[in-house]
Amino acid sequence: MRRVTRWTAPLAIAALSLGTAAPVHAAPSVQTTLAARTTTASPTAWAPSGWTPRPAAYQVTTEKDVTLTMSDGVRLVADVRRPARDGRPAPGRFPVIVTMTPYNKTLPGANMASDRLVQRGYVQVIVDVRGTGGSHGKWEAFSAREQRDGAEVVEWAASRERPWSDGRVGMVGASYGGINQLFTAAQRPKGLKALFPVVPMGDAYRDVIGTGGQLGLGFVPMWLAAVTLTSVLPPTYSGADPARAAEVLREHFGNIGDFQIAMLLEALTGGERAFDGPFYRTRSPLEVVDKVNVPTFVVGGEFDIFQRSEPMLYQRLARRVPARFVYGPWYHIDGASPALGVTIPGTPVPPGPSLQDLMLRWFDRYVREIPDPGLDKDVPPVTYFENGSGRWVKTAQWPPAGTRYQAFRLSGRAVPGRPGSLTTGQGTGGPDHVPWNPFAGLCSRSTIQWAGAGFLKYLGLSCEHDNSQNDDLGVAYDLPVRAPLRLTGPINAHLVVSSAARDGQLTVRVEDVAPDGKATQLTSGWQVLSLRALDDARTVRRDGMIVQPYHPYTKASAKAMPRHTPVAVDVEVFPIAAEIKPGHRLRVSIQTADFPHLFPPLPQLGDSIGKGLKIWHDPSHPSWVALPVSP
């Protein structure tokens, strides 16, 4: 069968809608050396045991539009891709890989088809989730009913009634196709043996919908539109069954106003969807990941839209089941390409076997149940890319053993264009004025990361790798680095803030500033001032300080800012993996917006418009950033 090896226009469209499965370039990282080096951050051994992938033994044949009837009577459709010889399905029973997509199973790339697995003796069942593609029903993005579908599909694939199934099932897929694996596994369906989620979400609100308490308008409308567009394409069975195709299209068209448009309008006008609550908790895998009881291999991206939760998912899984985690220098749209077997020159990939080979090895071990005594030796628990040094680091845990948090305090006098300083001593000076600018963020890596989920990188915007112009729209604080400074893990910015307005937002960026002044964004975080309340039970503390704040983001937790009165606000800054080189500067940059990534609901906008902020950092009002310093 033909393998996809180049970028095509239809695949580009599919990849934009999927946000993952396209053959694209990985994100260039800070001072990246593409000739990757490897370091071991713990005593974990890493020595190949001689494992090599099995050669292809089959061709691929596809049975299209197989009907699966769910327990509520809704009919889903699937393509069943089977091992074949001489163009005919090979006899016998095989282990099965299930993939579920809302992006239409007929679209290359978006369907996450894997010839490589089928050619090596797996059946792949690719299903349009309800209300999308050729499936009946209403799409409501990870609803409880859709999650139940996942379990029913797995049990259908594992059933002895399928003449091609041996009863053992794994799941593979990227983005949406990775997220639904976790929801499915949490129900523990019969026959499910292993997962391989690529760039999966963990928290629907904090990761992407309401990041920091504002709306993710740089990504969410595009995503909803992509699902809508791929759901109103005529089903492939239109010619054979036009009446059924017409019925499906009526269902899909009718749902646009009921779900997609209604959700956006309710959030934008400050309704329930603008805040966290049961709707988003139902759709957040971190709420159920502790119920997953099968081996899971997570692939994430350090500039992915789900950058925050991918390490958290791995941490929770590793407590209970065999788990692995690869964290690469990738945006969302290119995060899946190494795992899906698309090789692009210049794309940083981990040393050793390809991720696609690791996928095969993972399923051979845990789905086919072939003994593999060298797996634990060959594949360390965590492999991540260290921006700045260009190294791939292999370690036993995330963050690496020995990582300690250190407070770097804001100090000095900062004005736009002239940074203050960071110090491990006592902060002095201030307060510093941060002007209100609703377009701050436009010239920054955030625009590439969130607006189009990485697709805009192909425009060659210089702001992707140099935030210095954007930094001048707020204030910044610098730390000269005299010895290599390695930072690995989540970050908290504890800032004392005052405002003349009832509301506003803090955007905090952590950057690597080269000697020539080029400022490369390594990570960032956001926080709406009125939603600053903390959930102490879910807030993480290390080394005597908050290192990962958890804000409820509920309507009940909202509290207006007291006018001109300094209050403490903790800003969750998403995980970092970087080395700052001697001669460079570590920068913490602060603005009042992150456009077009985020936009406030209209009531919030009215409470903050035109008003800047003050950052306090004198001894009576210390502001600091808790950084994860690795040995």
Side-chain angles (χ1 to χ4, degrees), residues 108-131:
N111 61 11
M112 297 168 264
S114 175
D115 285 357
R116 188 174 182 82
L117 291 175
V118 179
Q119 290 166 348
R120 285 158 179 80
Y122 290 90
V123 172
Q124 186 177 21
V125 176
I126 304 176
V127 184
D128 286 332
V129 303
R130 67 171 53 213

Side-chain angles (χ1 to χ4, degrees), residues 398-445:
W398 174 272
T403 298
R404 295 290 181 268
Y405 277 88
Q406 187 170 0
F408 291 80
R409 295 176 180 84
L410 279 56
S411 190
R413 174 68 172 165
V415 297
R418 191 170 71 241
S421 60
L422 295 172
T423 178
T424 55
Q426 181 171 271
T428 60
D432 298 328
H433 178 67
V434 187
W436 184 77
N437 189 320
F439 299 109
L442 183 60
C443 187
S444 74
R445 173 166 250 162

